[in-house]
Amino acid sequence: MLCLKGLIVVDAFQAWCGPCKTVVDLFRKVRNEVGSDLLHFAVAEVDSIDALEQYRGKCEPVFLFYAGGELVAVVRGANAPLLRKTILEQLAVKRKVLEHGGEREVVTSH
């Protein structure tokens, strides 16, 4: 999944609470607005993926933004305006990198 071309937004959830249902409509709306093949959404259960162990035991939703297989942004909490802003900003950066080359900043501490 992380090898897909474009921006991948992952709802990292815990088994006891499930994926954040309140943002599903937001994701659909943004996807319809931008109409981009570069935007992908996914869910990942942190309890079953060792690489996401650091997100276990949290009481808030965590959204991970990946581009080029690298973590480029993290949003904690179901903050719809911040999620929308981050999606649009990161998608714009991804397009710029694809069109003009260069590198993007990656998240080293989250």
Side-chain angles (χ1 to χ4, degrees):
M1 178 83 195
L2 296 182
C3 296
L4 287 173
K5 182 179 175 182
L7 178 69
I8 299 110
V9 182
V10 179
D11 176 357
F13 70 94
Q14 295 182 76
W16 60 268
C17 64
C20 187
K21 295 176 184 173
T22 59
V23 298
V24 172
D25 287 338
L26 170 70
F27 288 163
R28 284 188 187 128
K29 184 177 179 182
V30 171
R31 173 89 169 140
N32 288 337
E33 287 174 12
V34 299
S36 176
D37 290 338
L38 297 177
L39 182 58
H40 310 280
F41 298 105
V43 294
E45 184 182 326
V46 299
D47 301 312
S48 63
I49 302 172
D50 290 338
L52 299 177
E53 181 178 9
Q54 69 191 50
Y55 301 106
R56 294 177 188 161
K58 309 293 184 210
C59 292
E60 63 185 351
V62 177
F63 300 91
L64 309 172
F65 294 74
Y66 289 91
E70 299 285 342
L71 184 64
V72 296
V74 176
V75 171
R76 296 180 186 278
N79 181 334
L82 180 58
L83 279 167
R84 178 180 170 72
K85 178 180 180 239
T86 306
I87 290 167
L88 296 176
E89 287 175 352
Q90 292 298 326
L91 190 57
V93 171
K94 183 61 182 178
R95 284 185 177 132
K96 184 177 178 183
V97 167
L98 288 172
E99 291 172 8
H100 305 291
E103 295 185 20
R104 20 175 341 128
E105 289 184 36
V106 297
V107 175
T108 56
S109 63
H110 23 127

